[in-house]
Amino acid sequence: MTKYLVSLALLFASSSAFAANCAVEIEANDAMKFNKTEVTVDSSCKKVTLTLKHTGKLPANAMGHNWVMTSSADVTNVASAGIAAGLNNNYLPAGDSRVIAATKIIGGGQSDTIEIDTSKLTKGGDYAFFCSFPGHWAIMKGKVTVI
Ligand SMILES: [Cu+2]
């Protein structure tokens, strides 16, 4: 019986380690929408890979999207500052320490993959994601949950 319980415990331990999700995918489209309103980042992964796919057809200068992660409190200020930075800077201020992670701006049919360093994150912290293309962030935003 004891032997049975030990092997059962090992089974649970290994299956929970296997369940760590270190890769996240999110899509954006020509209707100015992400396909998710929440992204979960598992801090048991040293790095979480995030891939943004633009499933639309419109070019980056008309309907470009990126995926930007900041604390929830910084969304408005970073998005506003990003407008002046322009498309060549992915609509983000250069070297802005408020930006925790960000893909580049992509157009329809393109994708971009980044790594999120989880050592900088706090479990249960108040994080958000948004698209910094001018005018998009009011609609294109969501919650990042760090577990
Ligand atoms: Cu966008």
Side-chain angles (χ1 to χ4, degrees):
M1 185 64 186
T2 308
K3 195 177 175 187
Y4 172 73
L5 284 176
V6 167
S7 49
L8 196 66
L10 284 173
L11 185 69
F12 274 112
S14 59
S15 66
S16 70
F18 185 73
N21 187 3
C22 304
V24 179
E25 270 194 25
I26 185 163
E27 293 177 0
N29 62 21
D30 283 345
M32 214 197 286
K33 280 192 174 144
F34 286 119
N35 70 340
K36 289 178 181 169
T37 54
E38 185 172 352
V39 166
T40 300
V41 170
D42 187 338
S43 60
S44 71
C45 310
K46 274 189 182 168
K47 301 215 159 146
V48 169
T49 301
L50 181 128
T51 299
L52 171 67
K53 280 187 188 167
H54 191 321
T55 58
K57 292 197 163 77
L58 294 170
N61 61 1
M63 185 53 74
H65 301 305
N66 61 357
W67 187 93
V68 182
M69 178 179 173
T70 64
S71 73
S72 294
D74 288 335
V75 170
T76 307
N77 289 335
V78 172
S80 301
I83 296 170
L87 178 58
N88 288 342
N89 294 306
N90 298 297
Y91 293 113
L92 285 175
D96 193 316
S97 61
R98 295 171 296 184
V99 175
I100 296 165
T103 70
K104 59 188 182 188
I105 293 266
I106 56 172
Q110 297 180 310
S111 71
D112 190 32
T113 299
I114 56 166
E115 283 185 335
I116 302 168
D117 181 358
T118 60
S119 68
K120 293 190 261 177
L121 305 177
T122 309
K123 271 187 200 180
D126 195 2
Y127 300 105
F129 72 86
F130 63 97
C131 170
S132 70
F133 191 98
H136 288 198
W137 70 274
I139 300 165
M140 296 186 73
K141 63 182 172 187
K143 181 181 170 56
V144 181
T145 302
V146 179
I147 58 169

